[in-house]
């Protein structure tokens, strides 16, 4: 700490320091803040492949939260003590990106989001899901997990204290989505401890372990689940059902929270990384919906379908030819599709990431309440590959025509390329290599769906309809998210608008609308980001003419790393 304080004084009060030393001070700040982030969030460290804190959870006490917030304010002061003008061009970009992050963190503090620590998509009730990214190869790996398991009762208590303060101050999530959480909490209280998600690692122990060691570790796991974890979740369940759920909001709009209008305006700026207002975003959404709908009419005609567009949507949602019959077949379909995409990537990229990726099923415990698919980045040290998680729940609501666009977005060349390329930029500070600005990241994912045309993959009109459906889905988001949170729309209005403009299935539509209710503003980032990347491509094509190289353009976008659109 004394060394850090001395460095701060040198930077703040010695303007004659050489630029190289000032750059060193900047990068020391980056390194210090990266380390602080890992220590404050052991879960984040685990997801990044750093195993040092695998035996603990985040401290959710009010004191720890206050210390973390003070740490953000102190880091911003420390950054501002460095003379930006003296930095190299690359370090100025690092400086600006880091400053943007810290300013957003500090501004966000006033809204006390930590008082709503659970949503229907995650929280203490899904804590066992972290096993998906943990390595279980050594006895220490298992001992760390056992210690983490022992920490669940304390984490439950801290979570409940946050929820109680949320109730007291009027900061609660909408009841419309929180009703789903009751079953999730109940799922953490199985009669047989071996059915618990916390026990899953003990079912696949290394062959090198002796029978005695296996038995000892398994016995301890069962004992912790029975005597500590199950009672903790039972207590949480009683509180949630009898006190918390009745106290949740009957309204759905973020605007109904304390300082809600300012809060939603902040979220719109934060997620889109622009200064766009809710009204401007809503208007962009309506314009894009009209444009894409016209293109859908054209593709409908190409298929030979004779009915109206709504009738075509119904056909796409219900005809058996568009669906796999079993979860196993659906998973194999996704895996085969990924193998079809991989060889075509060289057509549009000069640099391919070294990190590999795999296709996995979304865990059964969360599949009914989560999205169609998502991507989990690999470990920062390369010790764990990236994974494309696909939802196999109810194959009859997972149409084949959406699978190509979805895979291009979530796997390659979408999120896997974006995250893997970032990790393979060794000259970048770690916060830049792992940065995830939603508009850049999800904008790239949506843009990547359209690269199927450049790669020659959209030969089937139904696949093209799938691409348009996914683009429409993101345009609809601009309308319904701003509609619900800033314009007084009801949940049903949002569902009806979505269904009228895209052939997504009812299961997906309801899950998506509930997701927008639970995470206001996040869904605005996709279309706004894609429009910006497409605009930059068009500008480059116009400026460079015959010298424009699509592969070089994509390499430059990903080689820059994730940054705010502004």
């Amino acid at each position: 700490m004394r060394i850090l304080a001395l460095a701060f004084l040198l930077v703040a009060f010695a303007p004659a320091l050489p630029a190289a030393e000032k750059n060193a001070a900047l990068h020391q700040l980056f390194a210090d803040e990266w380390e602080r982030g890992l220590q404050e969030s052991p879960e984040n460290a685990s997801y990044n492949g750093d195993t040092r804190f695998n035996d603990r959870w985040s401290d959710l006490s009010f004191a720890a939260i206050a210390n973390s917030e003070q740490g953000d304010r102190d880091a911003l002061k420390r950054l501002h003590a460095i003379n930006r003008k003296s930095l190299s061009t690359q370090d100025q970009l690092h400086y600006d990106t880091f400053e943007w992050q810290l300013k957003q963190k500090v501004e966000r503090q006033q809204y006390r989001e930590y008082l709503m620590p659970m949503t229907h998509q995650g929280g203490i009730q899904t804590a066992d899901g972290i096993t998906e990214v943990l390595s279980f190869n050594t006895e220490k790996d298992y001992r760390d997990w056992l210690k983490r398991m022992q920490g669940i009762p304390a984490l439950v208590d801290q979570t409940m204290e946050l929820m109680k303060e949320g109730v007291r101050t009027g900061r609660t999530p909408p009841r419309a989505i929180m009703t789903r959480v009751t079953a999730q909490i109940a799922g953490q209280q199985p009669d047989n401890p071996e059915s618990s998600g916390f026990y899953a690692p003990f079912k696949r122990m290394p062959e090198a372990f002796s029978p005695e060691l296996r038995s000892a570790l398994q016995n301890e796991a069962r004992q912790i689940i029975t005597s500590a974890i199950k009672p903790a979740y039972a207590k949480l369940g009683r509180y949630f059902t009898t006190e918390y759920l009745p106290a949740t909001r009957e309204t759905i709009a973020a605007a109904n929270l304390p300082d809600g209008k300012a809060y939603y305006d902040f979220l719109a700026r934060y997620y889109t990384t622009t200064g766009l207002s809710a009204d401007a975003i809503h208007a962009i959404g309506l314009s894009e919906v009209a444009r894409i709908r016209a293109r859908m009419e054209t593709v409908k005609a190409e298929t030979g379908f004779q009915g109206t567009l709504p009738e075509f949507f119904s056909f796409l949602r219900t005809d058996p030819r568009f669906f796999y019959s079993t979860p196993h077949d659906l998973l194999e379909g996704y895996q085969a599709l990924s193998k079809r995409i991989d060889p075509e990537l060289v057509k549009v990229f000069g640099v391919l990431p070294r990190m590999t990726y795999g296709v996995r099923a979304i865990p059964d415990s969360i599949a009914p309440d989560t999205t169609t698919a998502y991507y989990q980045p690999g470990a920062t040290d390369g010790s764990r590959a990236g994974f494309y998680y696909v939802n196999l729940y109810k194959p009859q609501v997972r149409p084949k025509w959406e699978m190509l666009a979805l895979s291009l977005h979530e796997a390659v060349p979408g999120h896997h390329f974006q995250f893997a390329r970032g990790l393979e930029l060794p000259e970048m500070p770690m916060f830049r290599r792992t940065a995830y600005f939603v508009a850049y990241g999800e904008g790239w994912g949506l843009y990547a769906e359209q690269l199927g045309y450049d790669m020659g993959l959209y030969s089937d009109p139904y696949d093209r309809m799938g691409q348009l459906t996914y683009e429409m889905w993101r345009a609809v988001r601009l309308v319904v998210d701003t509609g619900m949170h800033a314009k007084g729309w009801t949940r049903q209005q949002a569902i009806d608008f979505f269904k009228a403009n895209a052939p997504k299935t009812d299961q997906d539509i309801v899950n998506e609308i509930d997701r927008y209710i639970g995470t206001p503003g996040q869904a605005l980032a996709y279309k706004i980001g894609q429009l910006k990347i497409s605009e930059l491509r068009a500008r480059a094509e116009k400026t460079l003419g015959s010298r424009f190289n699509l592969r070089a353009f994509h390499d430059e976008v990903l080689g820059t790393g994730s940054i705010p659109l502004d």
Side-chain angles (χ1 to χ4, degrees):
M1 292 297 292
R2 291 179 180 175
I3 294 174
L4 297 182
L6 178 60
F8 175 86
L9 290 172
L10 287 173
V11 172
F13 301 111
L17 272 177
E21 291 187 38
K22 292 182 179 179
N23 286 14
L26 179 70
H27 284 265
Q28 185 61 54
L29 173 60
F30 295 157
D32 292 343
E33 285 303 293
W34 174 259
E35 178 63 19
R36 179 171 73 94
L38 296 178
Q39 291 183 11
E40 290 184 353
S41 176
E43 299 88 347
N44 187 44
S46 295
Y47 276 100
N48 278 292
D50 188 328
T51 63
R52 290 176 297 158
F53 315 111
N54 275 4
D55 61 348
R56 68 197 77 169
W57 304 100
S58 295
D59 185 349
L60 299 184
S61 67
F62 288 105
I65 292 169
N67 286 338
S68 179
E69 292 184 338
Q70 184 61 52
D72 292 335
R73 296 191 293 270
D74 290 344
L76 186 58
K77 291 178 183 177
R78 189 173 161 194
L79 179 70
H80 286 161
I82 297 173
N83 181 1
R84 180 187 179 279
K85 293 181 180 179
S86 71
L87 303 175
S88 67
T89 301
Q90 185 65 33
D91 276 342
Q92 286 182 356
L93 179 59
H94 298 333
Y95 182 107
D96 293 344
T97 306
F98 198 64
E99 181 185 46
W100 191 95
Q101 286 182 316
L102 286 173
K103 282 184 173 180
Q104 297 295 309
K105 285 183 178 181
V106 171
E107 182 179 354
R108 198 167 192 164
Q109 291 175 7
Q110 63 187 300
Y111 301 116
R112 304 185 74 189
E113 292 169 304
Y114 55 83
L115 297 183
M116 296 184 286
M118 299 170 65
T119 75
H120 71 292
Q121 289 192 294
I124 182 69
Q125 79 279 18
T126 59
D128 57 308
I130 199 172
T131 58
E132 289 284 318
V133 300
L134 296 177
S135 296
F136 290 94
N137 300 316
T138 68
E139 181 178 351
K140 184 179 186 305
D141 292 336
Y142 283 88
R143 296 290 181 194
D144 284 346
W145 180 237
L146 288 169
K147 191 169 181 181
R148 227 172 198 168
M149 290 168 60
Q150 290 172 333
I152 286 293
L155 193 64
V156 165
D157 287 343
Q158 288 182 334
T159 300
M160 288 174 57
E161 287 303 309
L162 296 177
M163 295 163 74
K164 289 175 182 177
E165 179 66 8
V167 170
R168 189 186 70 79
T169 58
R171 298 181 186 274
T172 60
R175 191 172 308 156
I177 58 173
M178 294 304 286
T179 53
R180 297 179 179 225
V181 176
T182 304
Q184 296 171 358
I185 298 173
Q188 295 289 10
Q189 304 169 58
D191 293 331
N192 182 355
E194 294 186 14
S195 298
S196 168
F198 289 93
Y199 190 82
F202 300 92
K203 295 180 178 179
R204 53 176 191 270
M205 303 180 78
E207 293 183 4
F209 284 12
S210 69
E212 293 78 14
L213 178 58
R214 289 189 190 194
S215 179
L217 293 173
Q218 289 170 337
N219 285 339
E220 188 170 351
R222 285 191 291 265
Q223 189 272 329
I224 294 172
I225 291 168
T226 301
S227 64
I229 293 179
K230 186 176 178 180
Y233 279 112
K235 178 170 68 172
L236 175 64
R238 288 191 296 272
Y239 169 71
F240 184 86
T241 303
T242 60
E243 297 183 48
Y244 191 72
L245 191 58
T248 52
R249 285 187 287 129
E250 294 184 5
T251 58
I252 61 172
N256 294 120
L257 288 165
D259 303 319
K261 184 182 184 303
Y263 177 48
Y264 186 69
D265 287 343
F266 165 81
L267 292 175
R269 296 193 306 273
Y270 171 77
Y271 283 117
T272 67
T273 63
T274 71
L276 290 170
S277 68
D279 285 343
I281 293 170
H282 192 84
I284 293 170
L286 290 173
S287 175
E288 283 292 281
V289 166
R291 180 186 65 81
I292 299 167
R293 192 176 178 95
R295 289 190 61 197
M296 285 179 160
E297 290 280 6
T298 301
V299 175
K300 174 178 73 72
E302 290 177 21
T303 68
F305 188 85
Q306 297 299 311
T308 64
L309 193 59
E311 289 170 340
F312 188 49
F313 288 171
S314 180
F315 166 66
L316 292 171
R317 289 185 186 112
T318 59
D319 194 288
R321 80 182 76 175
F322 297 126
F323 300 90
Y324 286 100
S325 57
T326 69
H328 178 266
D329 291 343
L330 179 56
L331 180 59
E332 286 194 337
Y334 277 116
Q335 292 168 336
L337 194 53
S338 295
K339 291 178 181 177
R340 178 183 160 204
I341 295 170
D342 287 344
E344 309 303 326
L345 295 167
V346 293
K347 294 179 179 178
V348 290
F349 293 91
V351 180
L352 302 179
R354 296 185 298 274
M355 179 178 284
T356 59
Y357 77 98
V359 184
R360 283 181 174 174
I362 291 175
D364 292 342
S365 60
I366 62 172
D369 300 314
T370 197
T371 56
T372 311
Y374 56 80
Y375 174 74
Q376 175 60 55
T380 54
D381 62 358
S383 61
R384 184 187 69 248
F387 281 97
Y388 169 32
Y389 281 85
V390 294
N391 201 326
L392 307 182
Y393 176 70
K394 289 187 177 180
Q396 65 272 22
V397 301
R398 315 285 174 194
K400 296 176 183 178
W401 45 258
E402 75 175 0
M403 293 170 63
L404 178 55
L406 180 62
S407 299
L408 291 167
H409 180 116
E410 298 292 349
V412 293
H415 289 323
H416 179 68
F417 267 37
Q418 169 210 336
F419 280 101
R421 281 293 314 280
L423 291 176
E424 293 168 12
L425 298 172
E427 74 281 3
M428 296 276 196
M430 188 59 78
F431 91 94
R432 288 289 322 279
R433 292 168 61 193
T434 60
Y436 179 65
F437 295 97
V438 185
Y440 173 98
E442 297 299 346
W444 173 261
L446 180 52
Y447 172 82
E449 295 174 20
Q450 299 172 11
L451 292 182
Y453 294 106
D454 297 295
M455 291 189 281
L457 293 170
Y458 284 123
S459 56
D460 186 298
Y462 290 109
D463 285 338
R464 293 199 293 278
M465 191 66 189
Q467 182 273 314
L468 289 173
T469 295
Y470 268 50
E471 189 176 8
M472 175 67 89
W473 171 20
R474 280 39 171 263
V476 164
R477 284 175 168 177
L478 302 185
V479 180
V480 299
D481 195 289
T482 53
M484 289 188 293
H485 292 294
K487 292 181 173 294
W489 282 31
T490 66
R491 178 173 178 267
Q492 191 60 50
Q493 273 181 283
I495 291 172
D496 292 343
F497 184 86
F498 198 146
K499 192 169 183 178
N501 288 288
K504 291 283 284 179
T505 58
D506 289 354
Q507 169 91 17
D508 275 353
I509 289 173
V510 171
N511 275 353
E512 283 296 314
I513 293 300
D514 285 350
R515 170 187 165 189
Y516 312 152
I517 293 172
T519 314
Q522 192 270 353
L524 305 177
Y526 297 65
K527 191 63 178 156
I528 298 300
Q530 174 259 315
L531 288 171
K532 173 56 69 175
I533 295 172
S534 297
E535 173 201 320
L536 292 173
R537 174 173 166 175
R539 188 192 308 176
E541 288 174 333
K542 180 179 179 180
T543 302
L544 296 173
S546 61
R547 293 181 295 127
F548 177 77
N549 184 308
L550 185 59
R551 298 167 78 204
F553 172 77
H554 293 148
D555 293 344
E556 182 68 20
V557 172
L558 293 182
T560 300
S562 188
I563 51 175
L565 297 186
D566 277 354

